[in-house]
Amino acid sequence: MIKLLKDDEKRTVLFLVISFISVVISFLNVGDLPFDVAWLAILLCGIPIIKGAVVGLVTEFDIKADVLVSIALIAAVIIGEIFAAGEVAFIMAIGAYLEERTVAKARAGIEKLVHLTPTTARVARNGEEVIVPAEQVKVGDILRVLAGETIAVDGIIINGQTSVNQAVMTGESLPVDKSEGDEVYSGTVNQYGTFEMKATKVGEDSSLQRMIRLVQSADAGKAKIVGIADRWATWIVVIALLSAGATWLMTDEIIRAVTILVVFCPCALVLATPTALMAGIGNATKFGILIREGDALERLSAVKRIAFDKTGTLTYGKPDVVAVESFDPSLTVAELLSLTASAELRSEHPLGKSIVAHYKLASNPSLPEPSDFQMLAGRGVSALVDGRAILAGNAELLRDNSILLPPTIIDKADTYRNDGCTIIFVSVDGQPSGFIALSDTLRPDAVNVVRNIEKLGIKNVLLTGDNHHAASHMAKLIGIQDIHTDCLPENKLAIIEQYQSGGDLVCMVGDGVNDAPALKKAHVGIAMGGIGSDIAVEAADIALVGDDIKSIPHLLALSKRTMNTIKFNMAISMALNFAAIILAMVGLLGPVVGALVHNAGSVAVIINSSLLLHWKDNKK
């Protein structure tokens, strides 16, 4: 398929070169030739245009630009303006080629994903390592990945350490260190070490395939404003025919009529929107943004509010230790953390895992193994560590074991609770010894993102299922004034509906299954494509591949810039068309110059749109 596309492009370029040479020779009247060589341009570039117009007209009654161009070509040939006909055909073909190149360049950054799909994998089966097609890997298979190989499916490392280049998925410029228990994604590249992994998502469920599906759904033709331009183009064709006919009848000069047909073609108007939208989509991909719906940029430019889910969007969605408080004079903070981490070593609870991870990050990574470990559902854990009885959990756990928390510990714990923290109380040998406070971690870019969005004149809103204390504390840190807490999915839906019924169109940013209804209801939905659930991503119009929220202000500014480009393109194309028509009607513009003026407008529109590919808002 790729080879065929390349062959088609080579043939198009060859035809354009031959047509250009023939038009130049015809214009300069070089040599004593038996026929006008501009006929080559008509045959090579004009015939495909006429063929496409006839097919569209007969099969779909599609009255668009190519119909008017075809009529202009045929009329120019009938009156003997061979050079004008050849020039029109050549420049129209140039315009079409430039449009294709602009669109291709815009989408090139995304379509590389398709070519990154790995074809094979090393799988351990029946005690042997075999290389199988990637599509045959099953969930639960054990894979071995060598240095330099592309990872075939999503999975978890079960043996070995390595560094993985995952720029294709997250945009990170440096390799990321990975070890046992870490996730790896299909399409990313193993840089250094060799490791074994267990497959968790294969085939169409893998991260890379999910991103490819998002890419394939990006279609600028879905944009509403494209439909408007098409409808205008249809009316312009009709008006052009009537104007040309009336001019011919009134002046009895067919050349004026043909010139009107040439300059009245709405090519620039039709090109104005899709080229700008596709260039905008191409720009977004450079910032790790996949735009699933072609009209998402158009809709995004009109939003007045952007609503954020908190957990996993403005925060990492993972608890982290923010404080360790010891109230036992015989235990230092470090000793209390060490005993608690050892007690939690075998825990499967996220809070327990966070305490262990925090200890290993801050201290000696080795921990004494606990004995008599018990996981107490809804309470916490109990264990013996170096002969000492440890309880770590909520207040109910200590109360069940007849351990009373003194007011000093309760009061101090409440100060952390008011900031949205979760508290793990710890007792050692039956005595209340202190607590560990854990909290969700704010993304480092969150504050700047909120501030930059406000600079664009868009209001920020926080929609979260968290309690008021936790949400208010985080909102204060971020700088969001408008908050809604304790939200169930239906509450988020109702709040968005309320804003939008009041005239404030909303863009929703979320990551979880519970955000899917709100993402669908909002005027524009943005999902965290990396950590977000499949349901959330499918419900959204736009996905942030690397969960990088700092690209959101750029996306909002890009949407406004894209719409301004479209409006400018349409205004210029219409103004140029009507000016040329008036000149043609009074006889100041002939078919040849008319073709140059008209097609120069089409090329200018394409070039102006292509500038969006490299646009960046330098105000931030």
Side-chain angles (χ1 to χ4, degrees), residues 174-190:
L174 298 175
V176 179
D177 292 337
K178 302 280 186 178
S179 59
E180 291 180 21
D182 289 335
E183 286 185 300
V184 289
Y185 307 103
S186 62
T188 58
V189 181
N190 181 24

Side-chain angles (χ1 to χ4, degrees), residues 96 191 259 458 482 538:
Q191 294 286 87
T259 304
I458 298 172
D482 192 355
E538 289 299 326

Side-chain angles (χ1 to χ4, degrees), residues 145-151 162-164 188-195:
V145 185
L146 305 182
E149 291 184 339
T150 300
I151 299 170
T162 186
S163 290
V164 176
T188 58
V189 181
N190 181 24
Q191 294 286 87
Y192 308 118
T194 297
F195 65 89

Side-chain angles (χ1 to χ4, degrees), residues 26-363:
S26 175
F27 180 73
L28 298 176
N29 196 21
V30 177
D32 187 17
L33 300 173
F35 66 95
D36 194 325
V37 292
W39 273 106
L40 288 175
I42 296 172
L43 294 173
L44 296 177
C45 298
I47 295 299
I49 294 173
I50 296 172
K51 180 182 176 182
V54 171
V55 171
L57 195 60
V58 172
T59 59
E60 301 177 12
F61 198 67
D62 189 20
I63 305 175
K64 295 291 169 56
D66 53 0
V67 174
L68 191 53
V69 172
S70 301
I71 294 172
L73 281 172
I74 294 170
V77 170
I78 290 174
I79 65 172
E81 293 286 349
I82 306 302
F83 168 76
E87 184 191 38
V88 168
F90 169 68
I91 298 180
M92 286 302 300
I94 281 285
Y97 178 69
L98 286 176
E99 181 193 7
E100 290 174 4
R101 290 293 298 169
T102 300
V103 172
K105 188 174 182 181
R107 300 192 64 161
I110 315 176
E111 290 180 343
K112 285 191 295 186
L113 288 172
V114 178
H115 305 298
L116 289 173
T117 304
T119 57
T120 61
R122 300 174 184 273
V123 181
R125 288 181 179 169
N126 301 322
E128 295 182 359
E129 182 182 299
V130 294
I131 297 178
V132 301
E135 61 268 19
Q136 293 183 10
V137 178
K138 300 175 182 177
V139 173
D141 278 349
I142 305 300
L143 282 69
R144 188 163 181 257
V145 185
L146 305 182
E149 291 184 339
T150 300
I151 299 170
V153 298
D154 291 9
I156 296 176
I157 295 178
I158 58 174
N159 185 26
Q161 294 181 329
T162 186
S163 290
V164 176
N165 182 345
Q166 50 189 38
V168 67
M169 292 302 298
T170 66
E172 294 167 293
S173 58
L174 298 175
V176 179
D177 292 337
K178 302 280 186 178
S179 59
E180 291 180 21
D182 289 335
E183 286 185 300
V184 289
Y185 307 103
S186 62
T188 58
V189 181
N190 181 24
Q191 294 286 87
Y192 308 118
T194 297
F195 65 89
E196 292 181 347
M197 59 175 282
K198 178 184 285 188
T200 57
K201 291 184 179 180
V202 301
E204 293 299 313
D205 294 328
S206 69
S207 298
L208 183 60
Q209 290 301 318
R210 188 175 72 192
M211 292 301 106
I212 291 172
R213 288 200 299 276
L214 292 178
V215 170
Q216 291 170 338
S217 65
D219 179 10
K222 294 179 182 176
K224 296 171 187 175
I225 198 164
V226 172
I228 293 172
D230 286 343
R231 287 195 295 273
W232 284 6
T234 301
W235 282 108
I236 287 172
V237 170
V238 175
I239 295 170
L241 292 174
L242 293 175
S243 301
T247 301
W248 187 10
L249 289 173
M250 293 175 64
T251 64
D252 201 29
E253 292 186 30
I254 195 171
I255 287 185
R256 293 193 189 186
V258 172
T259 304
I260 289 173
L261 292 176
V262 170
V263 300
F264 219 146
C265 293
C267 303
L269 177 63
V270 174
L271 295 177
T273 299
T275 53
L277 286 177
M278 291 309 297
I281 291 172
N283 180 301
T285 64
K286 298 177 182 180
F287 291 83
I289 304 165
L290 289 182
I291 298 177
R292 303 184 63 223
E293 300 292 341
D295 66 338
L297 281 177
E298 177 198 351
R299 287 185 277 121
L300 191 61
S301 67
V303 301
K304 300 297 182 184
R305 293 178 183 268
I306 182 163
F308 288 98
D309 169 57
K310 182 183 78 69
T311 306
T313 303
L314 292 173
T315 66
Y316 283 110
K318 296 186 294 184
D320 193 18
V321 174
V322 295
V324 179
E325 298 279 355
S326 175
F327 290 82
D328 186 339
S330 65
L331 287 175
T332 65
V333 166
E335 289 171 338
L336 181 68
L337 175 63
S338 175
L339 289 171
T340 308
S342 291
E344 295 278 10
L345 193 58
R346 296 180 185 174
S347 173
E348 292 297 319
H349 195 282
L351 294 177
K353 289 183 176 181
S354 293
I355 292 172
V356 173
H358 178 79
Y359 173 82
K360 289 184 175 180
L361 187 65
S363 310

